Amino acid sequence: MHFTLQTPAQLPSQLRSLRNARGLSQADLGRLLGLSQSRVARIESGAAQVSVQTLMAVLAQLGARLAIDAADAQAPKARSTGSARSAKQDW
């Protein structure tokens, strides 16, 4: 499956759909993640903010991954500062 999210508000329902597709209850997913069922419920309702680390853990348990599609964006260019080391640090 491929989901394109346009807003953060779309994420909770997609997580819930993925969990249901895996046949997991909120309590099951919570146990796998070391979270309470109520925390999973808050994540799925959009009432809780989650760190990127937690989001990645949830996605991994659901057999999903995060992909960033930058097709319409240009990659940032390193500033020319005269040295490769400083350009790498600036990026």
Side-chain angles (χ1 to χ4, degrees), residues 15-52:
L15 293 175
R16 187 171 37 259
S17 294
L18 287 168
R19 178 183 54 76
N20 287 328
R22 296 278 185 224
L24 296 171
S25 68
Q26 290 176 342
D28 293 334
L29 181 57
R31 274 191 295 279
L32 292 169
L33 294 166
L35 302 173
S36 66
Q37 177 275 326
S38 62
R39 174 76 170 140
V40 174
R42 286 193 311 274
I43 292 169
E44 288 185 353
S45 72
Q49 292 186 12
V50 296
S51 67
V52 173

